[in-house]
Short mmCIF file of all heavy atoms in Angstrom, two decimals:
data_model
loop_
_atom_site.label_atom_id
_atom_site.label_comp_id
_atom_site.label_asym_id
_atom_site.label_seq_id
_atom_site.Cartn_x
_atom_site.Cartn_y
_atom_site.Cartn_z
N SER A 105 85.36 88.20 104.98
CA SER A 105 86.49 89.14 104.63
C SER A 105 87.74 88.90 105.67
O SER A 105 88.76 89.21 105.34
CB SER A 105 85.90 90.55 104.91
OG SER A 105 85.67 90.84 106.14
N GLY A 106 87.41 88.48 106.86
CA GLY A 106 88.48 88.20 107.86
C GLY A 106 89.10 86.87 107.83
O GLY A 106 90.23 86.80 108.29
N ARG A 107 88.48 85.90 107.14
CA ARG A 107 89.02 84.53 107.21
C ARG A 107 88.98 83.93 105.91
O ARG A 107 88.34 83.03 105.61
CB ARG A 107 88.33 83.70 108.28
CG ARG A 107 88.50 84.08 109.69
CD ARG A 107 87.54 83.57 110.61
NE ARG A 107 87.37 82.12 110.60
CZ ARG A 107 86.42 81.40 111.14
NH1 ARG A 107 85.44 82.04 111.74
NH2 ARG A 107 86.29 80.11 111.15
N ARG A 108 89.78 84.67 104.99
CA ARG A 108 89.77 84.13 103.59
C ARG A 108 90.39 82.64 103.51
O ARG A 108 91.32 82.40 104.37
CB ARG A 108 90.74 85.01 102.79
CG ARG A 108 90.04 86.41 102.49
CD ARG A 108 90.90 87.44 101.81
NE ARG A 108 90.50 88.72 102.00
CZ ARG A 108 89.40 89.27 101.45
NH1 ARG A 108 88.67 88.57 100.61
NH2 ARG A 108 89.08 90.49 101.64
N GLY A 109 89.91 81.88 102.80
CA GLY A 109 90.43 80.50 102.66
C GLY A 109 89.67 79.51 103.49
O GLY A 109 89.67 78.24 103.27
N ALA A 110 88.88 80.08 104.54
CA ALA A 110 88.05 79.05 105.30
C ALA A 110 86.81 78.54 104.49
O ALA A 110 86.49 79.36 103.66
CB ALA A 110 87.58 79.77 106.69
N ALA A 111 86.39 77.37 104.76
CA ALA A 111 85.38 76.77 103.98
C ALA A 111 84.06 77.58 104.36
O ALA A 111 83.75 77.93 105.42
CB ALA A 111 85.23 75.33 104.33
N GLY A 112 83.20 77.79 103.28
CA GLY A 112 81.90 78.48 103.50
C GLY A 112 81.03 77.90 104.49
O GLY A 112 80.46 78.64 105.31
N GLN A 113 81.07 76.56 104.65
CA GLN A 113 80.13 75.76 105.59
C GLN A 113 80.65 76.28 107.00
O GLN A 113 79.86 76.51 107.89
CB GLN A 113 80.33 74.33 105.49
CG GLN A 113 79.68 73.76 104.19
CD GLN A 113 78.14 73.62 104.40
OE1 GLN A 113 77.51 74.71 104.67
NE2 GLN A 113 77.62 72.40 104.26
N ASP A 114 81.98 76.19 107.22
CA ASP A 114 82.52 76.64 108.52
C ASP A 114 82.17 78.01 108.93
O ASP A 114 81.82 78.30 110.02
CB ASP A 114 84.11 76.40 108.55
CG ASP A 114 84.50 75.01 108.33
OD1 ASP A 114 83.56 74.16 108.56
OD2 ASP A 114 85.70 74.76 108.17
N LEU A 115 82.23 78.97 107.92
CA LEU A 115 82.03 80.33 108.20
C LEU A 115 80.42 80.51 108.53
O LEU A 115 80.13 81.31 109.44
CB LEU A 115 82.36 81.19 107.00
CG LEU A 115 83.70 81.20 106.63
CD1 LEU A 115 84.01 82.20 105.43
CD2 LEU A 115 84.71 81.68 107.78
N MET A 116 79.62 79.81 107.94
CA MET A 116 78.14 79.92 108.18
C MET A 116 77.95 79.42 109.59
O MET A 116 77.25 80.02 110.43
CB MET A 116 77.31 78.97 107.26
CG MET A 116 77.48 79.36 105.75
SD MET A 116 76.06 80.29 105.31
CE MET A 116 74.89 79.00 104.94
N ARG A 117 78.43 78.21 109.94
CA ARG A 117 78.46 77.63 111.26
C ARG A 117 78.94 78.54 112.35
O ARG A 117 78.29 78.87 113.40
CB ARG A 117 79.12 76.30 111.31
CG ARG A 117 78.94 75.51 112.60
CD ARG A 117 79.97 74.52 112.69
NE ARG A 117 81.28 75.15 112.71
CZ ARG A 117 82.49 74.56 112.23
NH1 ARG A 117 82.32 73.38 111.67
NH2 ARG A 117 83.56 75.24 112.18
N ASP A 118 80.17 79.13 112.08
CA ASP A 118 80.71 80.00 113.08
C ASP A 118 79.88 81.38 113.22
O ASP A 118 79.86 81.86 114.33
CB ASP A 118 82.19 80.36 112.68
CG ASP A 118 83.07 79.13 112.84
OD1 ASP A 118 82.63 78.11 113.48
OD2 ASP A 118 84.17 79.03 112.27
N ALA A 119 79.43 81.81 112.14
CA ALA A 119 78.52 83.03 112.20
C ALA A 119 77.37 82.87 113.15
O ALA A 119 77.06 83.57 114.06
CB ALA A 119 78.23 83.46 110.84
N MET A 120 76.67 81.77 112.94
CA MET A 120 75.55 81.37 113.73
C MET A 120 75.97 81.14 115.15
O MET A 120 75.24 81.62 116.03
CB MET A 120 74.77 80.17 113.10
CG MET A 120 73.30 80.20 113.38
SD MET A 120 72.54 81.61 112.87
CE MET A 120 71.60 82.06 114.38
N ALA A 121 77.10 80.46 115.39
CA ALA A 121 77.55 80.15 116.78
C ALA A 121 77.93 81.46 117.50
O ALA A 121 77.57 81.58 118.67
CB ALA A 121 78.81 79.29 116.65
N VAL A 122 78.56 82.39 116.83
CA VAL A 122 78.87 83.60 117.55
C VAL A 122 77.62 84.47 117.96
O VAL A 122 77.53 84.95 119.03
CB VAL A 122 79.92 84.51 116.66
CG1 VAL A 122 79.95 85.94 117.21
CG2 VAL A 122 81.20 83.86 116.62
N ILE A 123 76.64 84.50 117.01
CA ILE A 123 75.42 85.21 117.25
C ILE A 123 74.72 84.49 118.44
O ILE A 123 74.23 85.19 119.38
CB ILE A 123 74.59 85.17 115.98
CG1 ILE A 123 75.13 86.05 114.98
CG2 ILE A 123 73.07 85.49 116.31
CD1 ILE A 123 74.52 86.00 113.45
N ALA A 124 74.66 83.10 118.61
CA ALA A 124 74.00 82.48 119.62
C ALA A 124 74.78 82.71 120.89
O ALA A 124 74.21 83.00 121.92
CB ALA A 124 74.03 81.01 119.22
N ASP A 125 76.17 82.75 120.76
CA ASP A 125 76.99 82.84 122.03
C ASP A 125 76.73 84.21 122.58
O ASP A 125 76.78 84.32 123.86
CB ASP A 125 78.46 82.71 121.58
CG ASP A 125 79.36 82.24 122.79
OD1 ASP A 125 78.77 81.87 123.86
OD2 ASP A 125 80.45 82.31 122.60
N LEU A 126 76.53 85.22 121.79
CA LEU A 126 76.28 86.62 122.38
C LEU A 126 74.84 86.67 122.84
O LEU A 126 74.51 87.78 123.36
CB LEU A 126 76.66 87.59 121.20
CG LEU A 126 78.14 87.83 121.12
CD1 LEU A 126 78.38 88.70 119.94
CD2 LEU A 126 78.78 88.56 122.35
N GLY A 127 74.04 85.65 122.60
CA GLY A 127 72.64 85.85 123.11
C GLY A 127 71.72 86.54 122.21
O GLY A 127 70.73 87.20 122.62
N ILE A 128 72.01 86.73 120.84
CA ILE A 128 71.14 87.50 119.94
C ILE A 128 70.64 86.73 118.79
O ILE A 128 70.37 87.19 117.75
CB ILE A 128 71.95 88.79 119.43
CG1 ILE A 128 73.26 88.42 118.87
CG2 ILE A 128 72.04 89.82 120.63
CD1 ILE A 128 74.01 89.57 118.05
N ALA A 129 70.47 85.33 119.06
CA ALA A 129 69.97 84.47 117.96
C ALA A 129 68.63 84.93 117.46
O ALA A 129 68.26 84.82 116.28
CB ALA A 129 69.82 83.03 118.45
N THR A 130 67.88 85.56 118.35
CA THR A 130 66.48 86.01 117.91
C THR A 130 66.60 87.21 117.01
O THR A 130 65.62 87.63 116.38
CB THR A 130 65.66 86.39 119.14
OG1 THR A 130 66.29 87.32 119.92
CG2 THR A 130 65.29 85.08 119.98
N LEU A 131 67.81 87.84 116.96
CA LEU A 131 67.97 89.05 116.05
C LEU A 131 68.56 88.66 114.68
O LEU A 131 68.71 89.55 113.81
CB LEU A 131 68.83 90.02 116.74
CG LEU A 131 68.46 90.69 118.08
CD1 LEU A 131 69.45 91.65 118.55
CD2 LEU A 131 67.03 91.28 117.94
N ALA A 132 68.91 87.44 114.52
CA ALA A 132 69.75 86.97 113.34
C ALA A 132 69.06 87.46 111.98
O ALA A 132 69.75 87.88 111.06
CB ALA A 132 69.88 85.49 113.29
N SER A 133 67.78 87.36 111.87
CA SER A 133 67.22 87.72 110.67
C SER A 133 66.63 89.22 110.59
O SER A 133 65.99 89.60 109.69
CB SER A 133 66.04 86.76 110.25
OG SER A 133 65.13 86.74 111.28
N ARG A 134 66.93 89.94 111.70
CA ARG A 134 66.59 91.35 111.69
C ARG A 134 67.53 92.27 110.96
O ARG A 134 68.78 91.92 110.91
CB ARG A 134 66.46 91.81 113.12
CG ARG A 134 65.37 91.12 114.06
CD ARG A 134 63.99 91.77 114.00
NE ARG A 134 64.08 93.23 114.23
CZ ARG A 134 64.05 93.68 115.48
NH1 ARG A 134 63.92 92.92 116.49
NH2 ARG A 134 64.14 95.02 115.63
N TYR A 135 67.09 93.36 110.44
CA TYR A 135 67.90 94.30 109.71
C TYR A 135 68.69 95.22 110.70
O TYR A 135 68.12 95.68 111.68
CB TYR A 135 67.09 95.12 108.70
CG TYR A 135 66.79 94.39 107.50
CD1 TYR A 135 65.43 93.79 107.45
CD2 TYR A 135 67.74 94.12 106.44
CE1 TYR A 135 65.10 92.88 106.32
CE2 TYR A 135 67.32 93.37 105.34
CZ TYR A 135 66.03 92.76 105.29
OH TYR A 135 65.75 91.92 104.27
#
Side-chain angles (χ1 to χ4, degrees):
S105 70
R107 290 164 57 192
R108 290 176 200 284
Q113 292 281 58
D114 291 347
L115 296 179
M116 298 261 277
R117 188 199 55 216
D118 292 346
M120 211 50 236
V122 165
I123 288 171
D125 204 11
L126 283 170
I128 52 170
T130 53
L131 299 180
S133 54
R134 295 272 308 277
Y135 285 97

